[in-house]
Amino acid sequence: MSRGIKVGIIGTVFGGMLAVAGFGAYNIYSGLAGGGSGGGSGRTSTAAAPVNTAPPTLQEVSETATDFLTAWSARDTAGAAKLTDSPAAATAALDAYAGQAHITQVQIVPRPAAGTRMPFNVTATVSYPGLAPRPWTYSSSLGVGRDAHGRPAVTWAPSVLYPDLQDGDTVVTGPAKAPEVDVVDRDGKVLDAAHYPSLTEILKQLTSRYAGSLHAGTPGIETYIESSDGAQTKTLDILRKGADAKLRTTLDAGVQAAAEKAVKKATGLAGVTALDTGTGGILAVAFTPSTGLDRALMDLHAPGSTFKIVTAAALLTAGLKPGTSSPCHSGDNIGDGKPYTNVSPDNPDATLQWDFEQSCNTGFIKKAGYLRPDTLTDTAVTYFGLGPTWYVGTSTLDAVVPGGTGDELTSEMIGQGNVLMTPLNMASVAATVREGVFHQPTILQDSGVIEHRTQIPTTPLPPAVEQGLQQMMHGAVTEGTARPAMGGLPGKLGAKTGSAEAGTVQPNGWFTAYRGHVSAAGIVLQGGHGVDSAGPIVAAVLAAS
C-alpha cells in the first residue's frame, strides 16, 4: 500500500472481519496480501492428487471472488493477481487501473454469487491533480473457474475492472483526446437528436468524422477508456467539462423542425430534403420512421414525372421551346414501343408547356426522336451534377441515369425505367433550375472540414433553357398539377409533381419545388398522386423557410 490507498468494502467492517451479505457464514478476510484464506478456499493440495477439473462449487466461487475483491480494495495487487488464472495480466491491469486512472480509493460491495459468477458494485475515488476527489460508481462482475492446478481462480478478463473493457484497453483519467463537439445550425443553434430525431445518425456521423478537424474548444478532464492504439473509445465520467467545439452545418433549426413535423403527417413512409438554392447547403433532412432508413438521403426510387424537369432541359437544349406543339393522347407510343397512359386529359392542342404543367406522359415521349440514347445521361451530369459521387459530408446515395434506347429511353423520359433518385437529388434539380447553375449539396459550413470536398464540374444552364424551365415549373404551380399544394405560397415559385410505379398497389408520390431561394423535394411511398401525398410536406417546409 505504498501509495496510501484506503481499503474499504461498503457495508464491511475491517478489524479482522469481513462480512459479505448474501453468502451465509463464510470465512472472514482482512487486509489479505497473498490471497490466503481459512477453510474452504481450496488452496492446499498434494502432489499425488489429480487435477480437479470440475466446476467450482458455489462456496468456492463466493470465497475466491471475495478474496480477490478484498485484495483489490486493499491495493494488494500481488495478492489479488495470485487469485486469478493469469497473474501477470491481472497485475499489469490492476496497476494501470490505479495509476493511469488516478484512483486513490476503491470500495467494493459484492453481491450474491450465481453459478460461477459474482456481481459487485464499485465506488472508486478519482483524484486528479488540481481537482477535488470525485467518486465514480459502476457495476461489474467476475467469473470463477479453475487454474492449471485445479484450484479455484478468478477467470481474468479486463472486464473484471470495468464491464466495457476489451483486451488492450485501459482506464485513463486526464485531458480528453478531443473537446466535446456541439453540432450547430447555420445560425449557431445547437442541434440534438431529442428535438430533431431524423438527424440522429447524421449528428453521430458528423461528430465522428470531423471532430478531429476542429481547432476550437478545450478538452475537459475525463475518465475514459483508451484502446491499444491510443484512441479514446468511451467517456466514463467527466471531472471537469471543457469548452465544446462547434461544428457548423448548413442546417436550419426552424426548417428542420417543420420538416420533422410534416413527414409525421404522411400516410406512408416519407422523406424530404430542403436546400439553399444559392449555395447547395442542406437546410433540412427528415423521414419516417426516424429510427429507420433515411428516405431523404439514402433511399433510391424512380422519381416519376418530377424527372421531366431533366427531360425538359434536354428537349429545350435540342431546340424545342415551351410553346412547341406536343399533343397529349393516352395510349401513344414510339414505333413498336409499349403504349403509355396519362392521368391528364387528352389534348390535341397541347404544347410542351401544357404537357409539363398537366404531367402528360405521352406528350413528352413523342419527342424521343430529339434525344440520343445518352442524351438524358449527359444532360443530367452536365447541367444537374447527377451521376457522379457527391461529397455531402454525411452518407448519401447517388443518382442513377443510365440512358438507353427504345422503351428504356421513353421510360426514363418520364422518370421510370432504371432512373433512380433520392429527395436530395430532386431538391437539387429544382435548385439548379431556380439559380440556373448546379451547386453541389453539402451539410457542412465549417471551413475546417469543407476544404476536403471534391467539386463536380458542371455547365450553367443556357439562358433560354433556364428561362424555359422556370416558366414551365411556375406554370405547374399557377395552372397545373402542383397548384393545390403550392397555390397559397408567396414568392417566386416553381414545382413539379410526380407519381412513380413501383410494383405496388399505389405508386410512390413525388413532389419537388422551390420558393424564393429554398428548394425541397419529398417522397411518400405508395402515396399515390404526388400533389396529395408529398406536396403538403414540401409546401410546409417551404413555408417555414
Side-chain angles (χ1 to χ4, degrees), residues 123 127 479 537:
T123 298
S127 299
E479 307 291 339
I537 297 174

Side-chain angles (χ1 to χ4, degrees), residues 287-336:
F287 52 91
T288 57
S290 59
T291 55
L293 177 63
D294 184 342
R295 303 191 183 280
L297 307 180
M298 295 289 293
D299 197 18
L300 289 166
H301 291 278
S305 290
T306 58
F307 191 73
K308 288 175 183 172
I309 300 171
V310 178
T311 304
L315 295 174
L316 294 177
T317 302
L320 279 67
K321 300 182 183 304
T324 298
S325 176
S326 186
C328 179
H329 183 267
S330 190
D332 278 354
N333 57 22
I334 298 295
D336 296 328

Side-chain angles (χ1 to χ4, degrees), residues 192-506:
D192 62 79
H195 291 92
Y196 312 104
S198 295
L199 298 180
T200 299
E201 291 303 317
I202 292 174
L203 296 176
K204 289 180 182 178
Q205 284 188 18
L206 292 176
T207 301
S208 174
R209 291 181 181 183
Y210 306 115
S213 301
L214 302 176
H215 302 296
T218 303
I221 302 300
E222 300 177 357
T223 299
Y224 58 88
I225 295 176
E226 182 178 271
S227 62
S228 57
D229 60 1
Q232 180 174 338
T233 60
K234 182 178 181 180
T235 298
L236 306 178
D237 193 24
I238 298 176
L239 284 72
R240 185 178 68 198
K241 187 172 177 58
D244 291 355
K246 307 292 184 184
L247 177 58
R248 297 183 299 128
T249 71
T250 61
L251 293 162
D252 183 290
V255 180
Q256 180 66 34
E260 298 273 9
K261 183 177 180 180
V263 293
K264 290 179 181 178
K265 296 181 179 179
T267 57
L269 301 176
V272 66
T273 308
L275 298 176
D276 181 324
T277 63
T279 65
I282 297 175
L283 301 177
V285 175
F287 52 91
T288 57
S290 59
T291 55
L293 177 63
D294 184 342
R295 303 191 183 280
L297 307 180
M298 295 289 293
D299 197 18
L300 289 166
H301 291 278
S305 290
T306 58
F307 191 73
K308 288 175 183 172
I309 300 171
V310 178
T311 304
L315 295 174
L316 294 177
T317 302
L320 279 67
K321 300 182 183 304
T324 298
S325 176
S326 186
C328 179
H329 183 267
S330 190
D332 278 354
N333 57 22
I334 298 295
D336 296 328
K338 68 178 182 180
Y340 291 87
T341 59
N342 302 315
V343 294
S344 58
D346 287 356
N347 182 359
D349 300 321
T351 61
L352 194 63
Q353 168 102 22
W354 189 93
D355 292 334
F356 187 94
E357 292 173 353
Q358 304 301 323
S359 207
C360 175
N361 291 329
T362 56
F364 268 70
I365 288 166
K366 295 294 283 187
K367 301 301 182 184
Y370 288 89
L371 307 180
R372 304 181 312 276
D374 60 355
T375 297
L376 291 178
T377 305
D378 288 347
T379 300
V381 68
T382 300
Y383 299 118
F384 297 95
L386 298 170
T389 298
W390 289 358
Y391 184 90
V392 174
T394 188
S395 297
T396 62
L397 293 181
D398 297 304
V400 178
V401 187
T405 60
D407 288 345
E408 177 61 25
L409 172 59
T410 52
S411 292
E412 289 189 15
M413 291 179 72
I414 59 173
Q416 296 281 173
N418 291 313
V419 173
L420 297 172
M421 299 281 158
T422 64
L424 173 63
N425 299 140
M426 291 312 305
S428 179
V429 167
T432 299
V433 173
R434 174 63 182 86
E435 300 297 331
V437 64
F438 168 73
H439 292 286
Q440 182 179 327
T442 179
I443 202 168
L444 300 170
Q445 186 180 176
D446 197 290
S447 60
V449 292
I450 63 175
E451 61 189 22
H452 303 298
R453 294 175 60 194
T454 300
Q455 294 294 333
I456 297 171
T458 58
T459 300
L461 290 167
V465 175
E466 176 187 349
Q467 294 168 12
L469 291 175
Q470 290 182 1
Q471 175 182 321
M472 295 166 80
M473 290 187 70
H474 184 68
V477 174
T478 58
E479 307 291 339
T481 55
R483 183 174 182 177
M486 297 282 291
L489 291 177
K492 185 172 183 177
L493 305 174
K496 185 68 191 82
T497 60
S499 299
E501 296 177 2
T504 53
V505 175
Q506 289 285 338

Side-chain angles (χ1 to χ4, degrees), residues 54-58 61-62 65 113-119 141-145 153-155:
T57 65
L58 183 60
V61 171
S62 299
T116 60
R117 298 198 66 81
M118 175 184 282
S141 66
L142 58 80
V144 175
V154 171
T155 303

